[in-house]
Amino acid sequence: MNRRITVIAFVLGFFFLFIGFPTLIGLTADWWWFQSIGYQTVFLKQAVTQTALALGVGAIALGFFYGNLRFAQRGLVPPVLIGIQGQTPPIDVTRVFRRLVWPASIVLAVILGLAATGAWLTVLRFLYRVPFGVTDPVFQRELSYYFFTMPALSALIGLVSALTVLSLVMVTPVYLLRSDVVLRGGRVTIEPSAQLHLALLLAVYLLTMAVNLYLVRVPSLLYSTTGDRFTGASYADLHARLPLLRILGAVAVAGAGLIVWGGIQRRLVRYFAIALGGYFAMSVLSSVVPGLVQRFVVLPNELARETPQLKHHIAATQRAWGLDSIQLHDLSGEAELTLRDIRANTATIENVRLWDREPLLQTFGQLQEIRTYYDFVSVDDDRYWINGRYRQVLLSPRELNSASLPTRNFINERLTFTHGMGLTLGPVNQVTVEGLPVLFIKDLPPASSVSLPVTRPAIYYGELSSDYVFVGTGQAEFDYPSGEANTYTKYDGKGGVPVRSWMRRLLLSIHFGSTNVLFSKDINNQSQVLFHRNIRERARTALPFLRWDNDPYMVIQTDGRLAWILDAYTTSNRYPYAQPLGDGTNYMRNSVKLVIDAYDGTLEAYLAGPDDPLIRSYSAMFPGVFRPLSAMPEDLRAHVRYPEDFFHAQAVLYTTYHMNEPDVFFHREDQWQIPAASDNNPRSYLRHMVMRLPGEKQEEYIEMTPFTPRGKDNLAAWMAVRNDGDGYGHTVVYRFPRQSLVFGPTQILNRINQDTEISQQVTLWDQSGSRVIRGNLLVIPIEGALLFVQALYLQAQGGRIPELKRVIVAYKNQVAMEETLEASLARLFGGAPGTAPAREQAPAPAPVAGAPVAALAQQAVDHYDRAIAAQRIGDWATYGTEMRQVGELLKRIREEGRGKREE
């Protein structure tokens, strides 16, 4: 007995030392972190569920394994001795096996218990399941069965199967050693009690297979891919595989009964062979027959056979991806744009995005990083009311990259350089004289020239912040460089885990794997540690049951604080008949908007899709975590946008699933595609923009993408999703007549490339040693027609700063290239578009009578400098224009001089 206790203590001690203790340290640090953000309910619900599963499954497994092994080793057994060479006495194998019963049972029970913790969310979803209000079209089961119940049943069946199989694996060697199972002369002889024991285990396994067939495999036919053109149960599945699977389940139940009867009648081997043979034969039939039906019955008459299933598939896909609520509008395709239309859509023209993200990111990096340890990670689109005008802007936070610090050590990385600083923000369409972006917010500390103050510019939580830092220490925190000196600060935010005591420091030191945390004299009881600072990691850790969009973006609040907005999805691969993405996801909703304060790291989760059954389940599961979207502050609500990942997925699916009729869908008669750009980026034409949708009275912030017919280049339609106010999330598609020819992006690019003036200018720039960067082609709907805009950037040889030099505008078969968007529009439509100039430069003043000679001379010098700059890059058109201005001013100076002499 004492030896058994010693063995058990050793096994438990081993697991605690190598698994339990590190896990306990991690759980303690996680608990402190969840307390700091106010999400204790998420931590506790997960931890309690995992603990209950580990203990419950472990206890069941321990009892099951131990009971089976003890029964197999019942009674007195003659020793089985194995001799060893030398003087070592022989080993009694049966005694060794008897001693291993407890350790083996404990080890396997612990393994199964730990494995069961991974099913914590499956169990909670089952316990907090909510109805969808929709049934599947075949079995008439409520969809909640597929989302919540079936995964839990599958996990339970898997557990029972594992217990049974492992028990069989363990008891069979015991019976062989006891000679209860004897192989002699090709025959198997089994002792009666062993027969009954093995029969019961085999019967349980067959019964679990039967239950799995009826409750999991049969419903899973609704995810079948047997049909060549759709996902879901096909004709062959419903008329061949389904009845065969039901028969197979009956065979499994009958086989289980037959095996038990064989164990009772002491004919286990014979009856087991019959049961196994019957099950195997039926399994082969259930695999082969549907294929034959598909080949010889379905394919010759596929459309007629599959029409009902195609209807189910189209309807399910549209519901699962939110395509059923898209509003469809028809355009004539004959709309003619005039100068009056351009002037009537001034807000659209003023917000045409001339800066692409990549060139702009390079420019920000060269002009605004200021120090090597600052990085601009990404550029985001947004819209603001600036000085009374609705403006689309591009912005990029300036984050700290600790890997680029000149000296990397504990003090610099963990105590001194703790945060990024501010952001750079500018309009999408304005350019300086040098071809650089106009910046409304720039420099360090961030200075704003418009009605967007930044009062709290420090960024402790961002896309790049991945390391832990300590604040409130004896070491001053670097804030920003100021000339030759540096400015320092002290963190006074609410974020972080307080150190409080030496014991906490010890645990944090173990958790972070750094003795400096324990022995540093700069860290005190008033210090705080900030970790999980990367906003994506922070969101995933706080709400691990959600899926996150790949493009978080920063918002400037009205009080000047900075915050991040992240879009979260509820997803599943369990929607019957729905078309999945490449990763298997066939259901998605943008149910949550998460706001993370860039200074404090506080999290606020808002329900953007409160009707989604999955988020309703999570809300009941974690009470108090989610707030209604109406509770979001208005300054943040104004910057909520439809997530790009979701819109792109919907657009890709809509290219096929706008076809509602099964025969049209089957033949793909009206298949669309998203046009591919030269870089093969499927999102090249997916753009945010400010525009007035056809039939609407007010400009708004939308996201759009064009469609072309499959295999063709003309435009078929375009899709837009609204982002502002009550219209948020409403998706509309504007469709052109199939018989009309509306130029698509590829055709417009071909016309641009074939334009003599443009090709000569690009060739000239390339030959002068510079590199021409073509911006993405913008598709801009105006009054039912389409305008195409492309920016040209010039990058000097060896330089890293792209400069915007030309703007190309195309409409139908007309193409114009000028220095500004306004000039190109004027060239196409005549007159002046009536918009503010996109290039910030002083207008060329006409010589005015009586102007001072010194002023005229200064104007001449300015024009001459511009001419020389144009000459250096080979811009001979601008060079000629500027030199003509110089000539006119020199003539005016001469006339002024003559006038004075005459006086």
Side-chain angles (χ1 to χ4, degrees), residues 113-420:
L114 292 176
T117 60
W120 70 273
L121 190 55
T122 300
V123 172
L124 287 178
R125 282 174 179 162
F126 172 73
L127 295 176
Y128 291 92
R129 60 193 181 276
V130 296
F132 275 67
V134 180
T135 58
D136 78 81
V138 175
F139 304 113
Q140 302 303 313
R141 281 193 172 101
E142 224 283 337
L143 292 193
S144 60
Y145 176 83
Y146 299 92
F147 281 76
F148 303 117
T149 305
M150 197 166 78
L153 289 174
S154 181
L156 180 60
I157 292 168
L159 173 63
V160 175
S161 298
L163 291 173
T164 307
V165 171
L166 289 173
S167 295
L168 278 168
V169 170
M170 288 190 295
V171 301
T172 301
V174 174
Y175 282 132
L176 287 170
L177 285 172
R178 289 168 52 95
S179 297
D180 288 344
V181 177
V182 179
L183 304 175
R184 184 181 296 114
R187 297 183 60 186
V188 180
T189 303
I190 306 177
E191 188 269 335
S193 61
Q195 282 199 51
L196 186 58
H197 185 195
L198 293 173
L200 289 173
L201 289 175
L202 290 170
V204 169
Y205 182 70
L206 273 179
L207 287 175
T208 59
M209 295 181 71
V211 172
N212 185 63
L213 279 166
Y214 285 121
L215 299 182
V216 178
R217 281 192 63 187
V218 166
S220 295
L221 288 177
L222 302 187
Y223 313 122
S224 170
T225 56
T226 302
D228 293 335
R229 297 177 182 271
F230 63 95
T231 299
S234 65
Y235 180 92
D237 289 322
L238 296 177
H239 294 84
R241 195 183 306 276
L242 176 59
L244 288 172
L245 286 178
R246 286 172 171 166
I247 295 173
L248 182 62
V251 169
V253 173
L258 191 62
I259 288 173
V260 172
W261 179 251
I264 295 173
Q265 296 296 316
R266 301 181 183 181
R267 295 180 180 179
L268 174 61
V269 175
R270 180 181 178 184
Y271 283 26
F272 173 70
I274 295 172
L276 183 62
Y279 188 85
F280 178 77
M282 201 64 221
S283 296
V284 172
L285 284 175
S286 65
S287 299
V288 173
V289 172
L292 296 175
V293 172
Q294 179 72 17
R295 175 66 181 85
F296 296 106
V297 177
V298 176
L299 290 182
N301 306 281
E302 189 172 7
L303 179 57
R305 300 289 189 186
E306 300 290 18
T307 292
Q309 291 73 245
L310 284 172
K311 289 181 179 179
H312 300 331
H313 173 66
I314 294 169
T317 300
Q318 291 178 345
R319 285 195 302 267
W321 290 98
L323 306 180
D324 56 335
S325 60
I326 292 178
Q327 300 175 3
L328 184 63
H329 301 277
D330 288 319
L331 299 175
S332 67
E334 300 175 354
E336 294 287 339
L337 275 184
T338 64
L339 181 61
R340 182 178 180 180
D341 295 325
I342 298 297
R343 288 174 173 170
N345 289 270
T346 300
T348 300
I349 301 301
E350 285 184 345
N351 288 286
V352 171
R353 199 180 95 179
L354 299 181
W355 284 101
D356 284 348
R357 292 183 180 183
E358 277 304 314
L360 190 62
L361 190 62
Q362 293 181 43
T363 303
F364 282 170
Q366 290 296 303
L367 301 180
Q368 286 292 305
E369 281 183 1
I370 300 179
R371 292 290 188 272
T372 58
Y373 40 79
Y374 287 127
D375 268 348
F376 291 102
V377 179
S378 62
V379 176
D380 294 312
D381 288 273
D382 208 343
R383 70 283 195 198
Y384 287 86
W385 283 95
I386 298 177
N387 298 337
R389 296 165 63 193
Y390 197 51
R391 303 295 300 273
Q392 185 177 350
V393 299
L394 291 167
L395 60 93
S396 185
R398 185 186 292 105
E399 298 197 48
L400 180 74
N401 185 355
S402 59
S404 298
L405 290 173
T407 304
R408 298 187 63 186
N409 53 45
F410 179 78
I411 292 178
N412 278 350
E413 293 186 61
R414 309 300 183 195
L415 308 181
T416 303
F417 292 89
T418 56
H419 58 276

